[in-house]
Amino acid sequence: MIEQYVWDLHEVDETRVAVVGGKGAHLGELSRIDGIRVPGGFCVTTDAFRRIMAEAPSIDDRLDQLSRLNPDDREAVRRLSAEIRRTIEGIAIPGDLAVAITRALAQFGEQGAYAVRSSATAEDLPTASFAGQQDTYLNVVGPTAILQHVSRCWASLFTERAVIYRQRNGIDHRTVHMAVVVQQMVFPHAAGILFTADPVTGNRKVATVDAGFGLGEALVSGLVNPDVFKVRDGDVVAKAIAAKQRAVHALPDGGTQEVAIDSQRQEQPTLTDAQVVRLVRLGRRIEAHFGRPQDIEWCLVDEGFQIVQSRPITTLFPIPDIGDQENHVYVSVGHQQMMTDPMKPLGLSMWQLTAMVPMHEAGGRLFVDVTRRLASPASRAALLDVMGRGDPLVRDALETVLDHDDFVPSLPEAGPGGPPAGRASAPIETDPAIVTELIERSQVSTAVLERDIRTKTGPALFDFLLEAFEEHKRVVSDPLNIQAIMAGMEATWWLNDKLQEWLGEKNAADTLTLSAPDNVTSEMGLALLDVADVIRAQPEVVAFLRGVEDEGFLDELAKLAGGAEARDAIEAYLDRYGMRCVGEIDITRPRWRERPTTLVPVILDNVRNFEPGAAERRFEEGRQKAQKKEQDVLSRLRALPDGDQKADEAKRMIDRVRTFIGYREYPKYGIVSRYFVYKQALLEEAERLVQANVLPEKEDIFYLTFQELHDVVRSNQVDDQLIQQRKDAFRSYHALTPPRVLTSDGEAVSGAYRRDDVPAGALTGLPVSSGTIEGRARVIRDMAEADLEAGDILVTTFTDPSWSPLFVGIAGLVTEVGGLMTHGAVIAREYGLPAVVGVEQATRLIRDGQRIRVHGTDGYVEILP
């Protein structure tokens, strides 16, 4: 094969990324769009780069070293990447390659001015833009300088920032190659950036134009603040004109310089409104061609716009694909379920198939469409009430969308909004036997599932599972189940509202619910204290567990003194709770039964931080505190006007909340128990596919939907490329932050607390468990990395039931995501931990080891000096 070192921009398109890199391919594609002007030029291909790399075999060894470095070891990355760059820049460009470049240059004028721009094969991609990771050189004049700057562009593949970016995005350094774009310089009156979607809100119908005088480098480098224009539906709807004191201009002999702008021009708009609208119209044409929102670099030359770059905006959260042009409002499922991480396709589809309402996928997350509920005044009020009680930020976000004129259509009172989900049709008696019956029903249903699924394989397994999903939904939607859940929640709300009104006491129900019966999640945390009691007395076992890394450690335990008892205790715990894990709504996540090492750090913390019998003592202490609180509340109520009546009402509600609030946690336990049965059956099917050489790895099934997996089992054929695409997409979704509320325009709405009762500098959140506690913050994102001391305050992104074993050993809780009735809040109250949830960016704003004060009653966190 004859290598071609130079291609004209007009010869390339988006299919040539491997040859000319992302930037080159995009520029070639842009030049083909009718009405879009792109400065002429050519690409030095990746063949040239590979040839240069082959000239220095020592680079191979350094790449091996680079791939082994931790991206957080900045000094080592800096040193090694600098060595690689120096090596590349020191390689003389071979004669025939230099001739090919200078011959291409001659077609445009050897002594003209050019921009020499890096174009890597892993940049300007839909999932990773790599913006600013490699180098661009402006106003390069003459063949010698051009060749020198081509070498610099090749070397810039190994800038420190580019290396770290690749490592953090899971991209192998050896798979990325560098092409170089050599493009005629334009000397603009103005330049800047056009985003065809609002980069802050994500709104796809609002375009944003940043503009400054001279070359766009002044904006990109942050030298000046740009003029900012916002355009919607062909009109400039907002603009901010900056004082632009400096600009970057080209020098006659090459290079650029900063120049001062005449004071009379500094506050003049860079563009007229008509020019802005015309530019956005060009941007919409580019966006339509590429099929996604674009980040476009533009220049204004002689009253005409030229486009010098366009790349996808990769930071926008995707929009669910509904397939219509109607307005939609979506609420995040992950914020309700305490799992905002992306889910793999099998996890998404399984949750959709077993959910009680339709759910839509975007960015690896699930959303519920609430548009029709918002459209009807009656259902709107009920929805906002339920959402507001659970998470005020969701309510505020929905109200923000409702404030947008005419976005949500208005239906008459009797419109098809329907009653809000989760509301019981009628109250039930305060009878503990109801909870006992519901738990027994769930256990029987799961036992029948486990028995019947054993004989099912192949396509018959999938037919069986579709029927099992219907039983799954029947159990969850059982009216008695919903009534019991709502009874506990509504009694909690009633007590908090009435006792604040009558006694001036905030969140009184927090203490009244301590050690409530039948709470499977709090029992799970206490049960691990009992496991620690068995292990604590066996020093050989404790020493062994400190070095455990292999998931088969339970088999090794039995060989130690006291190890058999320790193994039996852990096995019994796994029999009861082994189906749980962090992010358990995603069936693809490894369960504790599959990865028991996850529990080892927590067990060791319990061994170190607690005395024997702690579980029973903790539960009894909580029960007595609740009992004492009840007596205190009732006594104070009786002293009020109409006190006996108030006390009687409160007593009924206290009994009700203690009867039902513990059951709030059981339905999730039942769902996850069934999920583990489904998962084990599907993995056995995956093993058969591996044995038949259909799949290379069992876990590849996680990147297929349930229906796609069904088709693979029927046909014994799989699309390997699809699985790889799904893996790449899933990796990219981790960089996205899902919004609480998302519109079909792409607007991501997070909501605000709108409170004025929080001290300056404090972090605002939602108070979910009363009390004030001061201590050391432990910022932990992975439960398996927990290393807690008594008195520590856990700070994390979100907690689901799997985190409850940590709760027994902490003094307080702060999370970024959560609501009044989400699992972390319920268990924090159960254990009497002051807790504030919904604290935006808590894990970034609070440093590990800092002292903080958590105000669980008033809902804010102070960072202490």
Side-chain angles (χ1 to χ4, degrees), residues 426-697:
I428 54 175
E429 293 299 314
T430 303
D431 182 0
I434 292 172
V435 172
T436 303
E437 179 189 347
L438 283 167
I439 291 173
E440 285 177 356
R441 285 188 197 178
S442 178
Q443 289 173 337
V444 167
S445 176
T446 303
V448 170
L449 172 67
E450 288 176 325
R451 182 196 69 201
D452 292 349
I453 204 170
R454 289 181 190 135
T455 58
K456 305 298 188 293
T457 60
L461 169 65
F462 290 82
D463 295 336
F464 172 83
L465 283 172
L466 289 172
E467 293 178 12
F469 297 161
E470 294 307 308
E471 166 66 6
H472 180 123
K473 289 192 278 190
R474 187 196 66 75
V475 171
V476 174
S477 63
D478 181 336
L480 191 63
N481 179 53
I482 294 171
Q483 287 172 318
I485 294 170
M486 293 306 299
M489 292 168 63
E490 287 172 344
T492 302
W493 298 337
W494 189 96
L495 285 166
N496 281 337
D497 291 347
K498 290 297 185 182
L499 295 181
Q500 181 163 5
E501 178 189 338
W502 293 339
L503 299 176
E505 185 171 342
K506 290 182 180 178
N507 306 327
D510 293 358
T511 307
L512 292 166
T513 55
L514 288 171
S515 297
D518 300 311
N519 189 320
V520 69
T521 305
S522 64
E523 290 167 2
M524 178 171 70
L526 296 175
L528 208 58
L529 287 175
D530 292 335
V531 172
D533 285 353
V534 175
I535 290 169
R536 189 180 292 106
Q538 310 296 338
E540 200 174 327
V541 172
V542 173
F544 170 77
L545 289 177
R546 286 190 183 122
V548 157
E549 292 181 359
D550 182 70
E551 298 300 342
F553 74 93
L554 289 171
D555 295 332
E556 298 299 312
L557 261 183
K559 301 172 186 175
L560 306 174
E565 293 89 339
R567 182 198 60 194
D568 291 348
I570 296 172
E571 284 284 1
Y573 186 86
L574 291 172
D575 287 345
R576 180 91 201 273
Y577 304 111
M579 77 296 288
R580 310 220 80 152
C581 68
V582 173
E584 60 194 8
I585 69 170
D586 182 354
I587 198 173
T588 72
R589 289 286 191 106
R591 312 282 136 174
W592 289 344
R593 170 55 80 182
E594 297 169 311
R595 195 172 289 174
T597 53
T598 306
L599 294 172
V600 171
V602 191
I603 293 171
L604 290 172
D605 282 348
N606 289 349
V607 166
R608 184 175 68 247
N609 295 332
F610 291 93
E611 295 297 321
E616 188 175 346
R617 281 196 306 277
R618 287 286 295 268
F619 188 82
E620 182 57 25
E621 285 168 8
R623 194 185 66 77
Q624 289 182 14
K625 280 183 185 175
Q627 195 171 42
K628 185 178 177 184
K629 183 69 173 178
E630 177 181 334
Q631 292 167 354
D632 172 62
V633 164
L634 296 178
S635 171
R636 289 158 61 199
L637 286 175
R638 287 194 183 99
L640 299 175
D642 299 323
D644 287 344
Q645 182 182 340
K646 288 184 171 81
D648 289 346
E649 287 183 62
K651 172 60 176 167
R652 282 196 298 274
M653 284 300 177
I654 291 169
D655 289 346
R656 196 164 179 77
V657 82
R658 290 196 66 79
T659 298
F660 291 113
I661 200 63
Y663 180 71
R664 164 76 179 81
E665 293 293 298
Y666 197 87
K668 182 80 169 284
Y669 175 82
I671 288 170
V672 175
S673 297
R674 295 181 69 91
Y675 260 40
F676 192 39
V677 179
Y678 305 152
K679 181 180 186 180
Q680 288 171 306
L682 291 173
L683 282 175
E684 286 176 17
E685 206 57 46
E687 182 59 44
R688 284 188 276 275
L689 292 171
V690 171
Q691 295 299 324
N693 294 319
V694 177
L695 288 175
E697 296 177 10

Side-chain angles (χ1 to χ4, degrees), residues 821-839:
M821 283 298 169
T822 49
H823 301 279
V826 171
I827 304 307
R829 291 194 290 272
E830 176 78 13
Y831 288 160
L833 301 174
V836 180
V837 302
V839 180

Side-chain angles (χ1 to χ4, degrees), residues 689-865:
L689 292 171
V690 171
Q691 295 299 324
N693 294 319
V694 177
L695 288 175
E697 296 177 10
K698 278 198 305 185
E699 293 193 352
D700 282 350
I701 67 167
F702 295 163
Y703 297 94
L704 300 170
T705 66
F706 180 82
Q707 185 56 56
E708 288 167 348
L709 179 55
H710 191 179
D711 293 341
V712 169
V713 168
R714 271 200 299 252
S715 66
N716 264 359
Q717 292 183 320
V718 70
D719 184 344
D720 295 328
Q721 191 174 0
L722 174 67
I723 289 177
Q724 187 55 53
Q725 287 170 356
R726 295 272 177 81
K727 288 180 178 180
D728 293 341
F730 177 71
R731 189 183 300 115
S732 74
Y733 292 153
H734 282 278
L736 300 174
T737 301
R740 283 176 169 82
V741 171
L742 179 68
T743 74
S744 49
D745 282 355
E747 186 174 4
V749 192
S750 295
Y753 286 107
R754 307 191 192 282
R755 291 169 54 187
D756 55 10
D757 60 342
V758 174
L763 308 179
T764 307
L766 178 66
V768 296
S769 186
S770 294
T772 301
I773 192 71
E774 183 178 315
R776 179 180 70 156
R778 291 309 319 271
V779 180
I780 297 172
R781 293 180 177 83
D782 183 348
M783 183 177 154
E785 296 173 1
D787 180 15
L788 296 165
E789 300 287 347
D792 283 349
I793 297 169
L794 174 62
V795 180
T796 190
T797 312
F798 57 81
T799 62
D800 59 12
S802 70
W803 285 76
S804 66
L806 291 185
F807 283 26
V808 298
I810 60 175
L813 173 69
V814 178
T815 68
E816 294 180 349
V817 176
L820 191 62
M821 283 298 169
T822 49
H823 301 279
V826 171
I827 304 307
R829 291 194 290 272
E830 176 78 13
Y831 288 160
L833 301 174
V836 180
V837 302
V839 180
E840 295 280 272
Q841 298 188 23
T843 59
R844 298 178 194 172
L845 298 173
I846 300 171
R847 294 195 310 275
D848 186 52
Q850 272 187 317
R851 288 195 68 78
I852 62 173
R853 187 180 296 126
V854 177
H855 295 262
T857 306
D858 295 313
Y860 63 91
V861 180
E862 290 180 285
I863 299 175
L864 302 176

Side-chain angles (χ1 to χ4, degrees), residues 232-246:
R232 181 176 183 127
D233 298 329
D235 293 315
V236 176
V237 294
K239 59 183 167 183
I241 306 304
K244 301 166 289 294
Q245 297 177 339
R246 304 188 73 73

Side-chain angles (χ1 to χ4, degrees), residues 347-425:
L348 290 164
S349 64
M350 292 286 278
W351 193 258
Q352 287 171 307
L353 286 165
T354 52
M356 300 313 301
V357 294
M359 293 184 177
H360 309 284
E361 184 273 335
R365 281 80 168 188
L366 290 170
F367 295 85
V368 173
D369 187 345
V370 297
T371 317
R372 296 186 75 79
R373 301 256 304 277
L374 288 173
S376 171
S379 59
R380 179 192 311 145
L383 177 70
L384 292 174
D385 178 54
V386 170
M387 290 291 181
R389 285 185 178 276
D391 183 348
L393 292 177
V394 174
R395 175 175 184 142
D396 185 78
L398 290 172
E399 288 176 333
T400 300
V401 175
L402 287 168
D403 286 342
H404 296 350
D405 291 340
D406 301 325
F407 187 83
V408 177
S410 190
L411 295 175
E413 284 285 352
R423 284 284 187 177
S425 56

